[in-house]
Amino acid sequence: MQPTNETVYKYNVQHGIHNTATWLCSLSPDVNYSAPSVRTAVKNVKQRHGTLKKSSYRPKGVLIYNSFLQDVFKYPKPTDPSKPPKSHSSHSKVEFELKRLQQQSTVGNTVETTNKKVEKKIDRLTGKMRKKNEYIQTLEEEFRAKNKRIEELEKLNSSQKAKLTLKTSAIKRLRNSDDYQRKKVAKLEGKLGEGKGHQKEEKKEEEASKLKHALKEKEQMRRELVELEHRIIVLEDEQDDNVVECYDEIDRKYTPAFQNCVHKLLNNYVAAIRVVPCIEAVLELAEKKANKLPSRATIDNMNSQRLATQKQLKKK
């Protein structure tokens, strides 16, 4: 009785692929099957079972799946009896060798040739082993030399570290002595310079008082000059009534009335560039002149002040 695919699949699930292959070979002892080919056949059954089981929910898939399970297991092609069976058991190999030796007529010649081949292989292997041993010996010698060199370097490093520690300690001592001497010198200089310091402070105070007095005199002179300039302007205004006072020479700023005029012009959408020409045109119409007119930068400053006041009024 040949086993079905279903029995082979179940046996494989329970016992594994190697035991399944030996079991299948034992069912047909007369036929020479190779174990690897039987294992591949079992693997194919397992893969086919997985693919068909996925489609078993369909009506056609169920029929195909059931027919596959009921089919007889397909053994692989038997091997040539002249070739040895690919089996892991040593007993079968020995039997096959005995049969092959019995069939051959020239046993002695074959043994001699095989012995020669074996000797050649042994010679080759021994040569390779010698080369490998020589290479290993060279590597061991290099490793020993490197270890010696490392030990020497470690000794040098330890000696150099000891020297460095001594040098660093000596440097620290020198630094500490230098700091101590510097502090001593600073103390001595401070004691010597205390008397000179009092004299220098007195001289500085005298110079500062002189400078303050000179500044006060300078400020008085400036005020007197400003007053004189103002008197000159007033006298010129009295002589010429056509001059309009737009700039206060004493306070050195434009009058509030003139600033108000500029703000009104800017509120009425007059460009900052056109403010001065507009004022000049109005004064010319009135047959008068301004003592001083602002530049473009001062008009921009007046405009920024105007906008700031407007913002503050809106917030309130």
Side-chain angles (χ1 to χ4, degrees), residues 103 118 181 198 211 230 298:
Q103 289 174 1
V118 168
Q181 288 174 2
H198 290 297
L211 286 169
H230 181 64
T298 54

Side-chain angles (χ1 to χ4, degrees), residues 229 233 236-237 242-259 261-262 275-277 279-280 283 288-296 298-299 302:
E229 287 176 358
I233 290 161
E236 286 176 354
D237 291 339
N242 294 327
V243 177
V244 178
E245 187 180 359
C246 297
Y247 184 76
D248 192 356
E249 294 291 341
I250 296 168
D251 295 331
R252 290 185 179 181
K253 64 180 182 180
Y254 288 95
T255 59
F258 181 76
Q259 289 182 10
C261 178
V262 172
V275 170
V276 174
I279 292 165
E280 285 177 348
L283 291 171
K288 289 186 179 182
K289 292 181 181 180
N291 61 349
K292 189 177 179 181
L293 289 172
S295 63
R296 172 65 190 280
T298 54
I299 288 165
M302 290 178 186

Side-chain angles (χ1 to χ4, degrees), residues 134-146:
E134 289 174 356
Y135 182 67
I136 288 161
Q137 287 176 359
T138 53
L139 289 172
E140 286 178 351
E141 289 175 357
E142 289 178 356
F143 184 71
R144 287 170 186 170
K146 285 180 180 178

Side-chain angles (χ1 to χ4, degrees), residues 4 45 52-54 62 77 111 132 136 145 151 160 182 186 191 209 242 247 296 315-316:
T4 59
V45 168
L52 292 172
K53 193 174 182 181
K54 289 178 182 178
V62 173
K77 290 181 180 180
V111 169
K132 286 181 179 179
I136 288 161
E151 288 175 356
Q160 286 177 359
R182 282 176 186 172
K191 287 178 180 179
S209 63
N242 294 327
Y247 184 76
R296 172 65 190 280
K315 286 179 181 178
K316 288 179 180 180

Side-chain angles (χ1 to χ4, degrees), residues 212-239:
K212 286 178 181 178
H213 185 68
L215 288 168
K216 286 179 181 178
E217 288 179 353
K218 191 177 179 181
E219 187 68 24
Q220 287 177 0
M221 292 288 287
R222 190 183 68 76
R223 288 177 182 175
E224 287 176 359
L225 286 170
V226 170
E227 287 177 358
L228 288 169
E229 287 176 358
H230 181 64
R231 286 177 185 175
I232 290 161
I233 290 161
V234 169
L235 290 169
E236 286 176 354
D237 291 339
E238 288 175 356
Q239 289 176 2

Side-chain angles (χ1 to χ4, degrees), residues 4-220:
T4 59
N5 290 326
E6 186 176 2
T7 55
V8 170
Y9 177 75
K10 288 179 179 178
Y11 197 89
N12 183 22
V13 170
Q14 290 177 359
H15 301 285
I17 193 166
H18 292 285
N19 294 324
T20 305
T22 53
W23 172 65
L24 290 168
C25 291
S26 66
L27 289 175
S28 57
D30 298 331
V31 185
N32 189 14
Y33 292 114
S34 65
S37 61
V38 174
R39 284 198 293 272
T40 54
V42 173
K43 285 180 183 178
N44 292 327
V45 168
K46 186 179 178 181
Q47 290 176 358
R48 185 69 176 163
H49 181 272
T51 53
L52 292 172
K53 193 174 182 181
K54 289 178 182 178
S55 62
S56 62
Y57 66 92
R58 298 175 183 173
K60 289 182 180 180
V62 173
L63 294 171
I64 294 165
Y65 178 68
N66 291 325
S67 64
F68 169 74
L69 292 174
Q70 291 173 5
D71 288 338
V72 179
F73 176 73
K74 290 181 181 180
Y75 279 92
K77 290 181 180 180
T79 56
D80 192 1
S82 62
K83 294 181 181 180
K86 294 181 180 180
S87 175
H88 293 284
S89 61
S90 61
H91 184 70
S92 61
K93 285 183 180 180
V94 171
E95 288 179 354
F96 178 78
E97 288 291 331
L98 289 170
K99 286 178 183 178
R100 187 172 64 79
L101 290 169
Q102 287 174 3
Q103 289 174 1
Q104 290 178 354
S105 60
T106 60
V107 176
N109 293 326
T110 56
V111 169
E112 286 179 359
T113 54
T114 52
N115 288 327
K116 286 178 182 179
K117 288 179 180 179
V118 168
E119 286 176 356
K120 286 179 181 179
K121 285 181 180 180
I122 290 164
D123 292 331
R124 288 175 187 172
L125 290 169
T126 52
K128 287 180 180 179
M129 289 294 290
R130 284 173 188 171
K131 288 180 181 179
K132 286 181 179 179
N133 289 324
E134 289 174 356
Y135 182 67
I136 288 161
Q137 287 176 359
T138 53
L139 289 172
E140 286 178 351
E141 289 175 357
E142 289 178 356
F143 184 71
R144 287 170 186 170
K146 285 180 180 178
N147 284 327
K148 287 180 181 178
R149 181 64 179 165
I150 288 161
E151 288 175 356
E152 290 175 357
L153 290 170
E154 285 178 352
K155 288 178 182 178
L156 288 169
N157 286 324
S158 61
S159 63
Q160 286 177 359
K161 283 179 181 178
K163 288 178 181 179
L164 284 170
T165 51
L166 291 170
K167 286 180 180 179
T168 50
S169 62
I171 289 161
K172 285 179 181 178
R173 287 172 187 170
L174 288 169
R175 283 179 182 173
N176 292 324
S177 64
D178 288 334
D179 292 333
Y180 181 70
Q181 288 174 2
R182 282 176 186 172
K183 286 176 181 178
K184 272 189 174 182
V185 170
K187 285 179 181 178
L188 291 169
E189 287 178 351
K191 287 178 180 179
L192 291 169
E194 282 179 358
K196 294 179 180 179
H198 290 297
Q199 293 176 359
K200 287 180 181 179
E201 286 177 358
E202 289 176 357
K203 287 180 181 178
K204 285 180 181 179
E205 287 177 356
E206 288 177 0
E207 288 176 357
S209 63
K210 286 179 182 179
L211 286 169
K212 286 178 181 178
H213 185 68
L215 288 168
K216 286 179 181 178
E217 288 179 353
K218 191 177 179 181
E219 187 68 24
Q220 287 177 0

